[in-house]
Amino acid sequence: MIIKDEQLIDWFKKEYEHIEFIKHKPEYKRIDRYSRLEDSINELKTDIELCEQKEILIKIWKNLVATAIIFLKFKDDRECHHDDGDYGIDDLGDFFQSYCDFEKFLYGDGIKQHK
């Protein structure tokens, strides 16, 4: 069975709120990754292929990882800070973005774009 981008995007938009670590909302908010995640997911267009929505996917990835870390903190009895702090996910996101930019050069696509 082949799943098309449109089907995947449609499913994700309808079902993401049922994922356990996304349903969890911390009592104290500093960054509010959950709103950022929801906004990014709502930016996805079902009529555009995922490969053409790379910037939105990077934002979604970053906020998914952050919400997962926040949830893991909540589940850890040793953790005393139950807020939406996410231990440097912005730095990790910047690294991921750098990798994505480098990947273009690795496969030759970046050379065409910088001429």
Side-chain angles (χ1 to χ4, degrees):
M1 172 187 219
I2 296 175
I3 298 174
K4 296 181 180 180
D5 287 354
E6 179 180 336
Q7 294 169 303
L8 181 61
I9 293 166
D10 205 34
W11 177 87
F12 191 58
K13 286 181 140 190
K14 289 177 186 171
E15 299 296 328
Y16 79 92
E17 291 177 324
H18 302 292
I19 299 170
E20 187 174 358
F21 71 86
I22 295 174
K23 288 191 307 186
H24 168 76
K25 305 286 190 266
E27 186 176 343
Y28 305 105
K29 293 180 184 176
R30 294 183 294 143
I31 303 170
D32 198 8
R33 292 284 183 189
Y34 298 87
S35 293
R36 290 180 184 187
L37 176 60
E38 185 176 352
D39 292 345
S40 298
I41 290 170
N42 288 328
E43 284 183 51
L44 283 173
K45 308 288 187 246
T46 54
D47 58 339
I48 299 175
E49 291 184 21
L50 284 171
C51 63
E52 295 177 21
Q53 300 185 67
K54 190 174 186 179
E55 296 304 315
I56 296 168
L57 291 174
I58 290 170
K59 289 193 291 187
I60 290 171
W61 175 85
K62 187 176 180 178
N63 289 302
L64 276 174
V65 171
T67 55
I69 290 170
I70 294 162
F71 181 71
L72 289 172
K73 279 178 36 179
F74 177 74
K75 291 292 191 175
D76 187 346
D77 293 335
R78 300 167 297 171
E79 179 64 56
C80 59
H81 302 287
H82 295 289
D83 59 9
D84 66 350
D86 52 30
Y87 297 114
I89 197 65
D90 288 321
D91 293 335
L92 182 59
D94 292 344
F95 175 79
F96 182 70
Q97 180 63 52
S98 296
Y99 173 78
C100 290
D101 294 341
F102 174 73
E103 188 178 36
K104 293 176 192 173
F105 286 101
L106 188 62
Y107 295 108
D109 189 41
I111 296 169
K112 291 183 234 169
Q113 292 179 3
H114 289 282
K115 283 187 175 182

